[in-house]
Amino acid sequence: MAEQRPRPAPLPALLRAPATAPAAVLAAAAAGSAYLYTTNPHQPGHLLPACPFRLVTGWLCPACGGTRMAYDLMHGHFTQAWLDNRLLLLASPFALLLLTRWTVEGLRGRTWHPALSPRTQLAVLTVAVAWTVTRNAV
């Protein structure tokens, strides 16, 4: 006779709520932003992680410079943010729009799962690869 395993207890209703995941992401972003605001990533000696892609390949990845860009934006250095990572700076409003939509839908009690068509996925991948090659060729 097979031994029956006890079923795990169901998650509390609060953890199943559609707004829980976006709220957790926003809380983590707020905590990370608070740390980043007081930590200059342009200077050595901080606890910010290094890019694993760059550690392995020596190349800048499509997101390299994103931490410095966020720091510079928080301190009003828009030109420096542009120089840190142009593509990521241009994509940031779209990411914020997606986060806002996810949060609003969660607060309305609905789950939201954005779906990108295969054509859009290919376009994003192509731009990321082209940006990686372009910024490392210079």
Side-chain angles (χ1 to χ4, degrees):
M1 186 156 124
E3 183 179 329
Q4 291 185 352
R5 293 185 182 181
R7 288 186 173 187
L11 290 173
L14 177 63
L15 293 179
R16 290 189 313 252
T20 301
V25 169
L26 289 171
S33 295
Y35 175 74
L36 182 60
Y37 188 81
T38 61
T39 305
N40 187 348
H42 295 284
Q43 303 295 327
H46 49 69
L47 296 177
L48 299 169
C51 174
F53 183 82
R54 189 165 187 189
L55 288 173
V56 171
T57 66
W59 279 27
L60 297 169
C61 80
C64 275
T67 304
R68 293 186 306 274
M69 180 197 75
Y71 174 86
D72 290 330
L73 284 176
M74 285 192 280
H75 289 85
H77 305 142
F78 301 110
T79 303
Q80 186 59 44
W82 174 256
L83 296 174
D84 290 331
N85 192 322
R86 293 164 180 82
L87 183 67
L88 198 57
L89 184 62
L90 294 173
S92 295
F94 299 106
L96 288 174
L97 182 66
L98 291 173
L99 179 60
T100 301
R101 171 90 188 269
W102 185 33
T103 303
V104 168
E105 293 298 327
L107 292 173
R108 291 179 176 164
R110 299 184 291 228
T111 58
W112 183 65
H113 303 285
L116 297 176
S117 69
R119 178 177 280 171
T120 304
Q121 292 176 27
L122 181 61
V124 169
L125 180 62
T126 301
V127 168
V129 169
W131 174 238
T132 301
V133 170
T134 301
R135 70 190 305 207
N136 285 289
V138 176

